[in-house]
Amino acid sequence: MTSTALRPAPVAERPAHRDGNVLRWLAAYTSSMVGDNVYYLALSWAAVQAGSPAQAGMVTAASALPRALLMLGGGVVADRFGPRKVVIGSDAVRCVAVLGVAGLLCATRPGLWPLFLVSLVFGTVDAVFMPAVGALPARVTSRDQLARVQGMRALAIRFASVVGAPLGGLGVALGGAAAAFGLAGLLIAVSVPLLVLVRIRELPPDDAPGTPATTAWSDLVAGLRYIRRHRVLAPLVLTIALGDLGFVGPLNLGLTLLADERGWGAAGMGWVLAGFGTGAGAVSLLLTMRGRLPHAGRMIAYAIIAGSVAIGALAYVPTVAAAAGVAVLIGLLTGLSGVMCGALLQTQSDPAYLGRVTAVSSLVSLGFAPLSMPLSAAAIGLWGTGPVFVVSAAVCGLSGVVALGARDLRRAELPR
């Protein structure tokens, strides 16, 4: 097992989607993500059954604080100890925690405290898991395949979101929350042996991470300084932050309020979400198969600007069918910009800094962007959906303007 971990992976002679080493990584990642989706449904169901709606909300939100507070430190951990070790350890901890809750729920009715505890554990582990996941692809394939791997990863996320909720619902229907937690734990557990079998590329000496003599704080400062001074990564992170800030509110809580306002109902909202998922999935499949799209920087900017126009228009379409069509367009454009942003993060970063780069990009997406949801809800209550969607679209459009205005980002290309 040790020799497997240390043996460098050969330079990919075939596309990533035909490389067995990459496919083992993808299978591990997909299984872990499906398990996550099952876990979140099980947690929500168990919390609602054990407490009041307010208490259930506190349980499901408990993971957000440690995730946000520890994310930057998690990037340092991923870079110092290697992303593969961190991902394996994170999945092992999450598996034990979820199976432990499943056992408690089978044996007794412990109330909310184990649910609150497992939510805190997940948030803490996510703070190191997510940066490590972002840094791992550079260690399992060659640089020219990283864009293709980013498309494969996006497909895995789409698959997990589609499959995870029904699996969790089936687990609850058959055996209650305990069965759903047990299923989530088993799915996460599947990823561990797969990751053990993944071959890891050794970093060039010039890209090696900081030595043990350096402190975690100095590594963090070095990572932030690296991003700030990088002519592509600095504006790219700002582009991601503004894009997610304008996108998260309308396409999450705002869409629910829009469907309620128009009388579309849950079924209508489902059709709109299905349209968005179809568009985003199609783009991920395109990049998976092609591996590279030209003019990456310009494509990101133009896709964001066009997508922002579609987001603003969504609030004014008259029918569910028209809204679903616009949602397909939004999925195509925002999916394209999102996958391309991820591909540029992967290919522009030195491998030794990828954990910290991923931590910063994840923090602005998962830590700051969700703040727009309560603001969007309050603004819709005051002014209605139309003006709020237009303002959100303008924020998204601003991120595209940032990408166009930064010369090095505008000219950035994915490796051939």
Side-chain angles (χ1 to χ4, degrees), residues 80-354:
R80 285 175 72 91
F81 296 100
R84 179 173 171 275
K85 293 178 181 179
V86 173
V87 171
I88 291 174
S90 299
D91 272 347
V93 171
R94 297 193 305 167
C95 175
V96 170
V98 174
L99 292 179
V101 171
L104 275 176
L105 292 178
C106 282
T108 182
R109 293 185 177 180
L112 286 171
W113 71 265
L115 305 178
F116 188 80
L117 181 60
V118 77
S119 184
L120 286 175
V121 169
F122 251 70
T124 303
V125 174
D126 275 351
V128 295
F129 174 79
M130 296 176 68
V133 164
L136 192 54
R139 311 288 183 96
V140 301
T141 191
S142 55
R143 185 171 177 268
D144 63 315
Q145 293 297 311
L146 286 175
R148 195 187 301 272
V149 169
Q150 192 66 22
M152 297 166 70
R153 180 182 174 190
L155 279 176
I157 293 172
R158 294 291 164 200
F159 176 81
S161 65
V162 170
V163 172
L167 275 179
L170 179 62
V172 170
L174 293 178
F181 275 117
L183 177 60
L186 292 176
L187 285 166
I188 295 171
V190 169
S191 69
V192 175
L194 289 171
L195 286 169
V196 169
L197 296 175
V198 171
R199 301 188 305 275
I200 299 298
R201 296 168 58 87
E202 293 179 353
L203 293 181
D206 292 341
D207 287 336
T211 65
T214 63
T215 65
W217 176 255
S218 65
D219 283 353
L220 174 59
V221 171
L224 296 176
R225 186 183 298 118
Y226 170 77
I227 296 172
R228 180 174 58 84
R229 293 178 177 177
H230 200 288
R231 295 184 176 181
V232 174
L233 293 179
L236 182 59
V237 168
L238 179 58
T239 296
I240 293 171
L242 289 172
D244 284 345
L245 188 64
F247 178 79
V248 168
L251 266 297
N252 285 278
L253 188 59
L255 180 59
T256 303
L257 296 175
L258 177 64
D260 181 67
E261 179 183 287
R262 298 295 178 87
W264 293 344
M269 186 176 68
W271 280 109
V272 176
L273 289 173
F276 171 76
T278 299
V283 167
S284 300
L285 181 61
L286 172 65
L287 192 58
T288 297
M289 301 308 295
R290 291 203 49 158
R292 180 185 182 274
L293 296 176
H295 312 298
R298 288 186 176 87
M299 189 174 293
I300 287 171
Y302 295 145
I304 290 174
I305 292 172
S308 68
V309 175
I311 289 172
L314 183 62
Y316 296 95
V317 293
T319 65
V320 172
V326 173
V328 172
L329 183 60
I330 294 173
L332 285 168
L333 293 168
T334 59
L336 177 61
S337 62
V339 172
M340 296 293 280
C341 283
L344 277 184
L345 279 176
Q346 289 282 321
T347 56
Q348 291 287 327
S349 302
D350 288 337
Y353 287 95
L354 255 176

